[in-house]
Amino acid sequence: MNNVMKNTVEYNNKAILELQAAMKKTKNIRMYKRYSVVLKHLQGFQNKVIAEMEGLEEHAVGSYIKKYKVNGLEGLAMKKPSGAPRKLSPEQEQELIYVITNNTPDEVGFEAIKNWTIKLVCQWVMLNFKIIIKHSSMAVILHRLNLSYTRPTYVLKKADKEKQEVFKTDFETLKKTP
């Protein structure tokens, strides 16, 4: 064998060992599949055959191999999907946090309402920022901003503690009688 063929075989063997080690180490099924695709390519399988074996599209197989050839194992790493752009800017989010934590709805224009709801927050954002945000999206935004909400519980100021205790004991006896 000439030197070029020896170097190619050594490179392939080293790459195969590197991929097998990475496959043993990973717990991510998707990464395992990417490593497996490249390993089969280095073992001499054609892209079409690899795609059938792995249950992938042929262009995905080609993409994994190309990424590996350019950047090695790091090229196969999955990037976090970007997702949709945020509807509120960081400044708007900070203003929203300030308004919700420091004001009640009636202080910012919602008459006779004392508790914030997601629906009210959506309305406030629409009025102040001219941005329409759906209920479910606002729930995600509030969660991301570490704002949680609970339903208010009402306590009667003039409640008679003794009468409440008598009612509780009477109620327990009523529950036990057939």
Side-chain angles (χ1 to χ4, degrees):
M1 263 197 290
N2 62 21
N3 280 346
V4 174
M5 297 232 356
K6 275 186 182 177
N7 288 342
T8 305
V9 170
E10 285 177 25
Y11 169 77
N12 258 1
N13 289 339
K14 183 179 175 187
I16 287 172
L17 291 173
E18 181 183 44
L19 280 164
Q20 288 173 336
M23 289 171 74
K24 286 180 183 176
K25 202 162 63 171
T26 189
K27 292 184 177 11
N28 186 321
I29 294 171
R30 292 173 64 198
M31 283 304 299
Y32 185 90
K33 187 171 268 201
R34 289 175 181 218
Y35 295 147
S36 177
V37 164
V38 175
L39 179 64
K40 286 179 173 99
H41 172 74
L42 294 176
Q43 291 171 339
F45 290 96
Q46 293 179 348
N47 289 4
K48 187 174 184 178
V49 175
I50 296 170
E52 289 173 9
M53 291 168 71
E54 294 290 341
L56 296 170
E57 295 291 329
E58 200 171 334
H59 66 86
V61 171
S63 172
Y64 296 158
I65 293 167
K66 184 178 178 181
K67 288 177 182 179
Y68 178 77
K69 285 182 178 179
V70 173
N71 295 317
L73 287 179
E74 292 81 30
L76 295 175
M78 292 182 292
K79 294 169 183 70
K80 185 177 178 191
S82 61
R86 292 187 176 181
K87 292 202 174 208
L88 298 176
S89 70
E91 295 81 22
Q92 290 170 329
E93 287 180 352
Q94 290 306 312
E95 185 177 346
L96 179 64
I97 291 170
Y98 180 80
V99 168
I100 290 175
T101 57
N102 296 312
N103 300 298
T104 59
D106 64 342
E107 293 173 333
V108 294
F110 297 102
E111 292 184 27
I113 301 174
K114 295 290 184 188
N115 299 305
W116 285 105
T117 63
I118 292 177
K119 186 176 177 181
L120 275 178
V121 174
C122 290
Q123 290 175 3
W124 185 86
V125 167
M126 175 59 194
L127 291 171
N128 291 279
F129 302 138
K130 308 295 187 249
I131 299 173
I132 297 173
I133 299 179
K134 293 183 181 178
H135 189 277
S136 57
S137 298
M138 184 56 73
V140 171
I141 291 170
L142 294 175
H143 179 73
R144 187 181 70 242
L145 298 175
N146 291 324
L147 295 172
S148 62
Y149 60 93
T150 57
R151 291 200 170 102
T153 57
Y154 300 99
V155 179
L156 299 173
K157 286 185 178 180
K158 297 181 182 180
D160 187 355
K161 294 281 183 195
E162 291 176 20
K163 285 184 181 178
Q164 287 178 351
E165 290 304 317
V166 170
F167 173 78
K168 285 179 185 176
T169 55
D170 289 347
F171 186 69
E172 288 299 319
T173 57
L174 283 172
K175 285 192 328 188
K176 293 177 185 174
T177 57

